[in-house]
Amino acid sequence: MTSFDINLLPSYDPEVERRVCFITGGNSGIGYYTALNLYMKGYMVYIASRSKQRMERAINDIREEAIRRRLKLSSSSSISNGNGTSSSNKLGELYYIEIDLLNLNSIELAVKEFKSRENSLHLLIDNAGIMAVPFKLTKDNLEVQLQTNYISHVLLNDRLIELMLKDSVINPRIVLLSSIGHWLLPVKLSLNYQFTHYKPNLLFSWFRYALAKTAGIQYMKILSKKYPKILCLSVHPGFVMNTNLFSHFTRLPIIGLFFWCCFQFFGWVFGVTNEEGSYSTLKCALDPSLNCQDDNGKYFTTLGIESKPSAYVLDEKYALENWNWTVDELAKRGHPVEI
């Protein structure tokens, strides 16, 4: 695997340049290490999650881990900021924002809370997601994977983008966690086609997942054209096998053990750790070589390597159809977004 050095990405002195990040799902897995490294880079990190108790525990863990890592690096005279000069060694701040991506009203409340505390936003990371779970409708009458992985983040981004367009915000970025699993979409389908009556559910759950991830990458490309001053990127973190995303399969009766063994073997051969999975996000969030003119709307894979998504993602007519459907569905539920 290609090496990745987080110390080569820039850090910020929060007392000189206050940079704010909003990330969904930062209490575990990839999101945890994304939040940890941004905190160590001097960011004010707002972590949005459902459980206050779990999030408070995660924030304490992040603070302790950051101190442990700083002590380990104390023998070094400085940490490179990517330009060969000494960077700030100061930590940022960590804050909790309550949000439930399965409830569109909760997103509106979370945004209202965030705006009462901050008047600008530099980095927005759509990290939270679920994978290949059984068919289920949310309170908003949307398929659970489609809402969690895609539609809720569309609403969240729409409400927060105004804070990223302020003149005081330099180099704003939005990073969406996608997946190489978007290639599993078997045929070009509208977002309202959710395989609700097809069996086995175990198989078609993957197709629903691929559909949501395809729509997410399409959305970031549309967003990059709509807001050319915001760098909008989507990433595949790599095959991170030791994550809660696979808990549904490993808990299945009888065959759960089979899946667990398969995931362990696959992870041993092809997988990356949770922290390695965060590197593609961190590169897209921090790398000064990426810019709106050359890179907006691009898709990156493990360790931040630029890649080409599926033909369905690149189909502009199909992307526009999915976007129009999304706008209509949000409007029907009382959450209009800017077209």
Side-chain angles (χ1 to χ4, degrees):
M1 180 180 293
T2 305
S3 61
F4 182 95
D5 188 353
I6 186 66
N7 292 325
L8 296 179
L9 295 177
S11 297
Y12 300 90
D13 184 341
E15 295 181 3
V16 176
E17 184 177 1
R18 194 174 191 276
R19 296 185 67 87
V20 180
C21 170
F22 188 108
I23 178 173
T24 59
N27 63 297
S28 64
I30 297 168
Y32 172 92
Y33 286 100
T34 302
L36 167 65
N37 281 290
L38 289 171
Y39 170 61
M40 294 185 67
K41 291 291 186 181
Y43 269 80
M44 310 294 113
V45 185
Y46 284 80
I47 308 176
S49 179
R50 279 190 298 177
S51 173
K52 183 177 181 180
Q53 183 178 9
R54 286 200 299 268
M55 195 63 256
E56 288 179 342
R57 184 165 57 248
I59 286 176
N60 288 332
D61 290 345
I62 289 173
R63 286 175 176 150
E64 291 176 2
E65 177 64 13
I67 293 172
R68 186 189 70 79
R69 293 188 179 198
R70 282 291 163 88
L71 291 174
K72 187 176 180 180
L73 290 170
S74 61
S75 58
S76 301
S77 59
S78 65
I79 300 173
S80 171
N81 71 352
N83 297 314
T85 58
S86 177
S87 71
S88 167
N89 217 21
K90 297 178 181 177
L91 299 173
E93 296 289 345
L94 296 166
Y95 305 101
Y96 166 68
I97 292 284
E98 182 178 358
I99 197 170
D100 183 359
L101 296 179
L102 301 181
N103 184 341
L104 297 177
N105 288 330
S106 173
I107 296 169
E108 301 280 19
L109 292 174
V111 169
K112 184 178 180 180
E113 169 65 17
F114 179 76
K115 287 183 176 179
S116 72
R117 298 161 71 175
E118 298 288 344
N119 56 19
S120 62
L121 178 62
H122 300 79
L123 179 59
L124 176 53
I125 302 179
D126 302 327
N127 171 81
I130 55 177
M131 183 174 68
V133 299
F135 177 80
K136 180 182 179 181
L137 292 176
T138 67
K139 295 178 180 179
D140 301 297
N141 200 35
L142 292 164
E143 195 272 326
V144 64
Q145 291 188 90
L146 187 66
Q147 178 163 343
T148 304
N149 297 337
Y150 169 60
I151 293 179
S152 287
H153 284 115
V154 170
L155 179 61
L156 176 68
N157 294 357
D158 180 82
R159 299 301 191 255
L160 290 176
I161 275 178
E162 65 175 295
L163 301 184
M164 308 184 80
L165 294 173
K166 294 192 172 184
D167 293 337
S168 60
V169 178
I170 301 174
N171 193 23
R173 302 187 183 194
I174 301 176
V175 182
L176 179 138
L177 268 286
S178 185
S179 170
I180 198 172
H182 77 273
W183 284 88
L184 295 175
L185 187 65
V187 292
K188 187 166 62 176
L189 296 168
S190 169
L191 293 182
N192 64 353
Y193 195 87
Q194 292 297 306
F195 307 101
T196 55
H197 305 296
Y198 289 81
K199 303 292 182 179
N201 197 26
L202 192 64
L203 173 63
F204 287 95
S205 289
W206 284 102
F207 294 159
R208 289 190 287 270
Y209 175 74
L211 186 58
K213 291 300 183 179
T214 295
I217 305 175
Q218 290 175 335
Y219 163 62
M220 294 305 286
K221 289 183 172 295
I222 290 173
L223 209 59
S224 69
K225 295 177 181 179
K226 185 178 177 183
Y227 300 102
K229 293 183 179 180
I230 300 177
L231 182 59
C232 302
L233 305 171
S234 52
V235 302
H236 162 62
F239 296 110
V240 184
M241 309 308 292
N242 56 334
T243 168
N244 293 332
L245 287 174
F246 295 95
S247 60
H248 166 67
F249 294 94
T250 56
R251 293 172 182 171
L252 291 172
I254 303 175
I255 61 173
L257 180 60
F258 169 76
F259 279 117
W260 184 87
C261 293
C262 289
F263 294 150
Q264 290 296 313
F265 176 77
F266 189 86
W268 178 66
V269 177
F270 302 106
V272 298
T273 65
N274 278 308
E275 183 155 21
E276 289 170 335
S278 72
Y279 290 161
S280 55
T281 302
L282 291 165
K283 176 180 173 63
C284 289
L286 299 173
D287 191 344
S289 70
L290 298 175
N291 61 81
C292 293
Q293 182 176 348
D294 300 323
D295 304 299
N296 223 346
K298 286 184 177 180
Y299 167 71
F300 294 80
T301 53
T302 315
L303 302 185
I305 298 173
E306 184 182 338
S307 187
K308 184 178 180 180
S310 72
Y312 293 146
V313 167
L314 299 175
D315 187 326
E316 293 186 3
K317 182 179 178 181
Y318 178 42
L320 187 58
E321 290 173 356
N322 283 340
W323 172 243
N324 288 335
W325 181 90
T326 304
V327 171
D328 290 343
E329 292 302 309
L330 281 169
K332 289 177 184 177
R333 290 161 175 79
H335 303 277
V337 298
E338 186 174 334
I339 299 175

